[in-house]
């Protein structure tokens, strides 16, 4: 009986670890994204203001476009949404850069956006358009 109970507890622990393991997009994957698809996948319909996206690019990202070697290179997607306040509008895998690309569109303006690339879950690059 003890062996059976120990086996059952081991199986429960394995399934629990499997459910929690792998950061495949972290919070972002609540949208069931295919993290390797190069097709645009919609995410949140909530939008940040153009002012918030502009401030993120200019102040939070220190005006940088590339983050290798900077302290900001350790930021994650969750850190960025914590600052912006909403999930990205869309996602696609950027095969050229081998990176996850998230785009936030400004509230009321689909031509103003902030693009943010992550490699291995860490901030790699960003680009602001019409902000």
């Amino acid at each position: 009986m003890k062996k059976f109970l120990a086996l059952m507890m081991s199986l429960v622990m394995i399934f629990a670890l499997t459910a929690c393991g792998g950061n495949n997009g972290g919070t972002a994957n609540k949208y069931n994204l295919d993290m390797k698809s190069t097709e645009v996948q919609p995410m949140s319909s909530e939008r940040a203001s153009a002012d918030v996206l502009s401030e993120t690019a200019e102040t939070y990202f220190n005006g940088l476009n590339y983050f290798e070697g900077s302290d900001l290179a350790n930021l994650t997607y969750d850190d960025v949404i914590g600052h912006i306040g909403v999930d990205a509008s869309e996602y696609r895998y950027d095969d050229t850069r081998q990176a996850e690309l998230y785009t936030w569109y400004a509230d009321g303006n689909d031509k103003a956006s902030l693009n943010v690339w992550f490699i291995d879950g860490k901030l790699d690059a960003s680009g602001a358009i019409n902000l």
Side-chain angles (χ1 to χ4, degrees):
M1 182 68 177
K2 288 182 183 179
K3 288 181 182 179
F4 177 74
L5 185 57
L7 176 64
M8 294 306 292
M9 288 175 59
S10 296
L11 289 174
V12 168
M13 288 174 46
I14 288 170
F15 287 121
L17 289 172
T18 301
C20 295
N23 187 12
N24 196 19
T27 302
N29 220 8
K30 68 183 179 186
Y31 298 97
N32 296 315
L33 303 171
D34 177 351
M35 302 306 288
K36 292 296 182 181
S37 175
T38 58
E39 299 296 317
V40 172
Q41 300 171 68
M43 292 179 63
S44 178
S45 59
E46 293 183 56
R47 302 268 180 108
S49 70
D51 289 341
V52 167
L53 296 179
S54 179
E55 182 277 334
T56 300
E58 293 172 15
T59 306
Y60 188 63
F61 290 161
N62 294 331
L64 297 173
N65 293 108
Y66 295 98
F67 301 98
E68 185 176 346
S70 77
D71 292 339
L72 298 171
N74 289 318
L75 292 176
T76 65
Y77 174 81
D78 288 337
D79 294 326
V80 175
I81 63 169
H83 182 79
I84 294 174
V86 297
D87 277 320
S89 304
E90 63 187 32
Y91 168 85
R92 74 175 175 84
Y93 185 74
D94 183 342
D95 202 31
T96 304
R97 295 183 55 95
Q98 299 290 298
E100 298 171 347
L101 171 57
Y102 295 91
T103 301
W104 280 263
Y105 289 105
D107 190 26
N109 185 353
D110 285 346
K111 294 185 181 190
S113 64
L114 177 65
N115 296 305
V116 183
W117 288 262
F118 294 87
I119 295 179
D120 296 327
K122 302 294 182 182
L123 183 62
D124 179 62
S126 72
I129 300 171
N130 296 325
L131 290 175

